[in-house]
Amino acid sequence: MIDFSKFKSLFSVMNFFRDEQMCKDALADARWNGDVICPYCGKHHCSKRKNGRYRCIKCKKNFSVLVGTIFENTKLPLYKWFVAMYLISSHKKGVSSCQLSRDIEVSQATAWYMLQKIRLLYPQNDSERMSGVIECDEVYIGGKEKWKHKSMRTPHTQGRSTATKVPVFGMLERTTYVDDNGVERPMTYVHAMIVEKTDKATLQPIIEQFVDKGSLIMTDELSAYKGIDKLGYFHRVVKHGEAEFVNKTDNDPIDIFTNSIEGFWSHFRRMIVGCYHNVTEEHLQSYIDEAVYRWNTRKMTEDERFEHMFNLSVGLVVTWNDLRLCA
């Protein structure tokens, strides 16, 4: 098995994956660990041919180690894919397609395609639920009317208007983790998605889908959150309109605030503005997924995150139609 702990830098990745055969051997090792399984019929112990491909003794089909991965049918060397995966996983704000095209010497269009395929490695799991202390908040992406000429501006787009902005809803779970020294430390996990509206009929069913009953939900004073306590939750409100950012009484064992989820929105905005500059609504959800993955794995080291992405890469086939419809 590959010792991913030695991938502490981009240089170590490039030094290890020196040629195409080394990359394919690493994929085969991570994917099958000596027991080659046919991606078509699931038969174990398939034989390896002299040309490096495999043959299933049951369905008689030939296949390579790339079949059934995001690298299937690629014309690019695998080491460029691995370098791209390491770059996007190790950089705090991601890597733009223009920068990646210069780093690995491909066209900008090819780099964009690679990044979109890599982003599909970490979609959010809609079957996971949150519990305990949950912060909920919404953000609006786009619609910078101040950069337009006055004659081109859309009226009444301030605040929570969705005339020129895309609403995004997020939920953050406060929890803890144990570090390498056995010390319990605070940790938060996020789930975020594009929504059509930020009204009661839209947001409260989402909360019911992802948050366990009996959890403590903290929100701002948006009217869409009124009545959450009647759904089986404890609800506390922070009144931002009155310059209140922490609401705590003597009876509260914990601080009531939404600063953590707002911190995630701040990271997400900086990723968009500082790295990608602008994203279309069509692909916004994939960028949200990237930001959520980066936030939820922020306690991982570069080598641990690269190992996680490497293992995810061997089980997903992505086509061009998937990228077109990934929003």
Side-chain angles (χ1 to χ4, degrees):
M1 296 293 291
I2 304 174
D3 181 14
F4 283 90
S5 63
K6 61 186 176 183
F7 296 140
K8 301 295 185 182
S9 65
L10 180 60
F11 177 80
S12 61
V13 174
M14 299 177 67
N15 188 51
F16 181 83
F17 297 108
R18 297 181 298 273
D19 53 51
E20 193 73 0
Q21 190 57 49
M22 172 67 75
C23 296
K24 289 184 177 180
D25 291 342
L27 275 179
D29 190 30
R31 186 177 186 184
W32 296 315
N33 194 23
D35 180 15
V36 181
I37 303 174
C38 176
Y40 300 108
C41 68
K43 174 66 177 178
H44 288 246
H45 307 296
C46 297
S47 59
K48 189 173 183 178
R49 309 188 69 184
K50 292 183 179 179
N51 61 1
R53 293 172 64 83
Y54 300 89
R55 183 172 179 82
C56 178
I57 59 177
K58 182 179 180 180
C59 65
K60 307 302 181 183
K61 290 185 178 180
N62 298 323
F63 58 92
S64 74
V65 69
L66 305 184
V67 175
T69 71
I70 67 168
F71 316 112
E72 185 173 346
N73 296 323
T74 183
K75 301 297 190 297
L76 293 172
L78 284 177
Y79 71 86
K80 291 193 175 186
W81 280 99
F82 295 161
V83 168
M85 288 169 57
Y86 189 86
L87 286 173
I88 195 174
S89 66
S90 61
H91 284 58
K92 187 175 182 178
K93 297 179 183 177
V95 180
S96 69
S97 58
C98 293
Q99 182 62 52
L100 183 63
S101 68
R102 294 189 290 268
D103 289 342
I104 64 175
E105 297 182 345
V106 298
S107 68
Q108 184 274 332
T110 298
W112 182 89
Y113 179 70
M114 294 174 69
L115 288 173
Q116 287 297 92
K117 294 189 77 172
I118 292 171
R119 287 189 186 101
L120 291 184
L121 290 178
Y122 34 73
Q124 300 177 69
N125 188 349
D126 288 345
S127 64
E128 294 181 350
R129 295 184 62 83
M130 295 179 167
S131 61
V133 180
I134 311 296
E135 299 177 27
C136 295
D137 195 28
E138 67 290 333
V139 72
Y140 300 83
I141 304 300
K144 293 293 184 180
E145 294 290 310
K146 65 180 180 179
W147 305 120
K148 298 179 181 179
H149 189 274
K150 290 185 178 180
S151 63
M152 301 296 292
R153 294 177 185 175
T154 305
H156 310 298
T157 59
Q158 295 83 6
R160 293 188 170 98
S161 170
T162 58
T164 59
K165 297 188 286 287
V166 180
V168 180
F169 177 62
M171 299 162 287
L172 179 144
E173 177 185 359
R174 295 189 204 168
T175 183
T176 59
Y177 79 103
V178 179
D179 64 13
D180 296 335
N181 298 322
V183 179
E184 188 176 20
R185 299 188 181 277
M187 180 63 178
T188 58
Y189 294 96
V190 175
H191 195 101
M193 68 206 74
I194 295 175
V195 293
E196 293 185 4
K197 299 179 180 179
T198 55
D199 58 3
K200 183 176 181 179
T202 302
L203 299 188
Q204 292 199 12
I206 296 176
I207 293 175
E208 288 189 283
Q209 177 183 352
F210 291 101
V211 181
D212 289 338
K213 302 291 185 180
S215 299
L216 172 60
I217 296 180
M218 306 177 185
T219 70
D220 57 21
E221 63 270 45
L222 182 67
S223 61
Y225 300 120
K226 291 182 178 180
I228 288 182
D229 52 337
K230 298 179 181 179
L231 300 177
Y233 302 102
F234 298 99
H235 184 209
R236 293 298 304 274
V237 177
V238 181
K239 299 178 181 179
H240 291 165
E242 299 178 7
E244 180 183 72
F245 301 100
V246 179
N247 180 357
K248 184 177 181 179
T249 65
D250 295 337
N251 297 326
D252 289 325
I254 57 176
D255 292 336
I256 308 299
F257 57 79
T258 59
N259 298 345
S260 301
I261 184 67
E262 289 166 3
F264 168 73
W265 295 137
S266 178
H267 277 266
F268 177 57
R269 288 184 183 277
R270 287 202 296 271
M271 184 187 79
I272 298 297
V273 176
C275 182
Y276 303 117
H277 305 305
N278 184 46
V279 297
T280 63
E281 182 178 355
E282 179 186 4
H283 298 291
L284 177 59
Q285 185 62 54
S286 65
Y287 289 93
I288 295 172
D289 293 341
E290 176 186 349
V292 169
Y293 177 83
R294 203 179 303 281
W295 179 274
N296 291 344
T297 61
R298 65 191 183 281
K299 299 300 182 181
M300 289 185 179
T301 60
E302 283 79 3
D303 54 288
E304 290 172 341
R305 193 181 294 110
F306 178 63
E307 179 181 9
H308 187 240
M309 291 184 63
F310 191 93
N311 292 332
L312 288 175
S313 70
V314 300
L316 181 65
V317 178
V318 184
T319 66
W320 178 250
N321 284 333
D322 293 327
L323 298 183
R324 291 174 56 208
L325 300 175
C326 68

